[in-house]
Every structure is written in structure tokens, then in C-alpha cells.
Amino acid sequence: MGVTLRNYSLICNQGTSGVNEDVIGITPFGAWVLDGATGLNKKNLVSKESDAKWYVNWWDEYLYKNISSDKSLKVILGEGIELVTKVYKDKLNNVDIEKLDMPSSSICIIKYHEKYIEYLILGDCSLFIKNREVNVIKDARICKFDDSVFEKMNSLEGLENMSFDDIKSSVMDLIISNRLKRNTPDGYWILEFDKNAIENSIYGYIEIENDTKIMITSDGLSSIANRYDIFEEIELIDLAEKFGIQYIYDKLRKFETEDYKTIKFPRFKVKDDSSCIYLHIDKN
């Protein structure tokens, strides 16, 4: 390992869905945020509570066991997909199901090496790095599909008089169409049961420096900037450094509570699960 952890803070809080399908992990060898997605048919086939929660918890346990190996993140996740696919099929007794019923997850994971940090992103989690300057690393491909749904929501006639459920039902055809594009060349890439996603991930290395700040977020936290426009995305890690990630989270929930009818900013959930890891590191 090539870093000394000076300080860290964590948030992993449930939204309004009734089950927290986010998971965060931090070890001496790396850190990750997983943001699970339930199948759109709302069928729990392998868990009484939530298939998405089962899925991210499986990955959380797997990563704790394997991130310390000498293997790259691509190899670790590729081997994990092979294993979780077998476990999932066994739980289903090898019964074929619709793609819309399968759980999936966004992920942002980092792994420490001697002179650099390795990262891999699938889906809409974000990675913020601050050393000489601030860099935000994320996959913009998924955003255009979400934006198309939000635009349709905004254009609904009588939006201000509609309930949240009515708004979402009115655009469900587009949500389904977008979900069917996951892990396809013309769509977006996500952690599911397809190893092709690994080679289509956002992947790279960051040189380790002293006094480096790192922040990993699920979209339930980063939406305060890239959806609600309360802050600039580039300034989130500075706010975390100065005021703490709880400050950002409190501002987020205050806004969502005030816009509980989702009229000002139509969205998939009134309050999404919201997760963040903030790390302050030095090189050894």
C-alpha cells in the first residue's frame, strides 16, 4: 500500500424507498461506493427485502476479501462477476428471468498501490480528486438517458397538480426503454452480470501525492450539484474539506424536503439513498 490515511468521513443514508440499496466500504487497501438498482418489475427473486440490497451486499463482502490482492481492479471485478453470476443463478434455480428483473449497481472503487491509486467506475457514481487541482471523474454516458426522462417529466401537462407516483408512471415507458440499454454499446455500462462492462468502465490511475483529498459519491449525494444546482460540482470536495460531508448532505435533504412533491426538480425518488466517502491521504 502506498498511502497514509490522515482522516476520513463516511455517509450512507437511506432515502424514501424503504430499503437502503447503497453500500460503502473502506479498508487499508482501498474504498468503494455501490449504488444498487432494483429490477423495474419490482420482483424480489433472491431476497425477501430487496434483490438490489442483496446484490450490493454480496459485492461489499467480496471486495473486503479481495481488494488486498495483487490483482488489478479489472481482474478483481471480472472474477467477481463470474462468481456472483453463479450464485445468482443458483438462487434462481437456473430459471430464466427478464432482464428488467435483474438487480444491478453503479460502483466507484479505488485501490492503493505503491505510487498511484487505481480507480474504476461503472454507472453514475462519481470520483473527486484534489491535489494540485480539482478533478471530477465520472461516466457521462448514463446522464443523457436520465436527462431524457427528466425532460419528459418537466414537459408533463399539469405537472404541478400531479402526485409523485403519477409523474413517474407517466414516464415509465421511457424509464424501461433506457433500462434495457444497460450494458449495450449504444447504451451505458453498469455492474451487473456481464463481464463486458469491465472493459467499458471508466478506468485509470492517479499519482499519489501528499495532502490529497478524495471523495467518492453515489448520485444520491452528487445530485445536489449535477441535478439540483445548489452547488457547482467542482466545489463539492472543497465544501467537504472545509465544512464536512454532513454539511453537503444536510443541504441536500433540506432541499428535497422542501420540494417533496418533486415539482421544481422531477426525479426518480423523492429522496434517493445518499452515500459519500471522504479521504485525506499522504503518500508513504
Side-chain angles (χ1 to χ4, degrees):
M1 187 185 73
V3 307
T4 298
L5 183 59
R6 290 174 56 177
N7 190 21
Y8 71 92
S9 51
L10 312 170
I11 285 176
C12 186
N13 290 339
Q14 182 178 317
T16 50
S17 65
V19 179
N20 191 351
E21 295 172 341
D22 279 10
V23 163
I24 60 174
I26 180 170
T27 82
F29 305 96
W32 56 87
V33 168
L34 288 152
D35 178 3
T38 305
L40 287 181
N41 288 328
K42 300 297 183 183
K43 296 178 182 177
N44 287 320
L45 303 174
V46 299
S47 167
K48 291 182 179 180
E49 189 175 22
S50 161
D51 282 8
K53 184 174 181 178
W54 169 85
Y55 187 71
V56 297
N57 283 336
W58 186 96
W59 274 103
D60 188 50
E61 182 178 348
Y62 171 81
L63 292 171
Y64 270 112
K65 291 177 179 177
N66 290 277
I67 197 169
S68 60
S69 76
D70 293 332
K71 299 173 182 177
S72 72
L73 287 178
K74 283 189 173 183
V75 172
I76 292 171
L77 266 69
E79 292 177 351
I81 289 174
E82 291 181 358
L83 287 171
V84 75
T85 299
K86 183 180 185 304
V87 173
Y88 186 64
K89 287 182 177 179
D90 286 347
K91 284 183 169 289
L92 291 172
N93 294 317
N94 291 306
V95 174
D96 289 333
I97 63 171
E98 294 182 54
K99 187 175 181 179
L100 287 175
D101 285 330
M102 294 180 179
S104 60
S105 179
S106 295
I107 183 172
C108 177
I109 180 169
I110 62 172
K111 178 178 169 67
Y112 306 133
H113 295 269
E114 192 62 34
K115 297 182 179 180
Y116 60 89
I117 294 169
E118 181 185 12
Y119 65 84
L120 187 149
I121 300 171
L122 285 165
D124 52 14
C125 291
S126 299
L127 175 62
F128 300 77
I129 308 288
K130 181 183 180 184
N131 36 51
R132 297 188 190 96
E133 59 184 12
V134 176
N135 288 296
V136 182
I137 305 171
K138 62 180 183 178
D139 189 345
R141 290 171 291 189
I142 193 172
C143 298
K144 67 178 183 179
F145 295 103
D146 288 346
D147 288 345
S148 67
V149 177
F150 297 144
E151 288 174 9
K152 188 171 182 179
M153 286 177 169
N154 280 320
S155 68
L156 292 172
E157 186 174 348
L159 176 65
E160 63 278 2
N161 297 317
M162 298 175 69
S163 68
F164 172 76
D165 289 338
D166 287 340
I167 294 171
K168 191 170 182 179
S169 296
S170 297
V171 298
M172 186 54 68
D173 57 337
L174 184 55
I175 292 175
I176 291 172
S177 175
N178 287 348
R179 184 68 68 90
L180 290 172
K181 292 183 175 71
R182 70 188 185 194
N183 291 346
T184 65
D186 297 326
Y188 61 94
W189 298 91
I190 200 109
L191 187 63
E192 193 189 47
F193 303 100
D194 184 354
K195 286 182 68 175
N196 289 324
I198 303 303
E199 291 305 319
N200 289 279
S201 63
I202 305 299
Y203 178 78
Y205 303 92
I206 304 160
E207 185 178 351
I208 297 173
E209 299 182 17
N210 282 329
D211 199 30
T212 293
K213 286 85 177 182
I214 297 173
M215 190 165 72
I216 308 172
T217 69
S218 67
D219 72 315
L221 192 287
S222 61
S223 60
I224 194 169
N226 54 37
R227 177 67 188 137
Y228 305 147
D229 300 322
I230 296 172
F231 300 119
E232 294 291 329
E233 186 176 55
I234 199 76
E235 71 176 322
L236 287 184
I237 196 165
D238 286 328
L239 291 169
E241 179 184 0
K242 187 174 182 179
F243 301 112
I245 58 177
Q246 187 68 39
Y247 169 82
I248 300 172
Y249 176 80
D250 289 344
K251 292 286 187 182
L252 169 77
R253 290 309 194 211
K254 181 177 185 294
F255 172 83
E256 290 172 330
T257 298
E258 292 171 351
D259 187 40
Y260 70 95
K261 292 190 69 177
T262 70
I263 300 301
K264 187 173 183 180
F265 284 95
R267 48 196 184 269
F268 299 124
K269 298 176 182 177
V270 178
K271 296 180 182 178
D272 197 3
D273 302 334
S274 185
S275 296
C276 180
I277 298 175
Y278 176 82
L279 306 167
H280 186 182
I281 64 174
D282 287 330
K283 60 183 177 180
N284 284 340

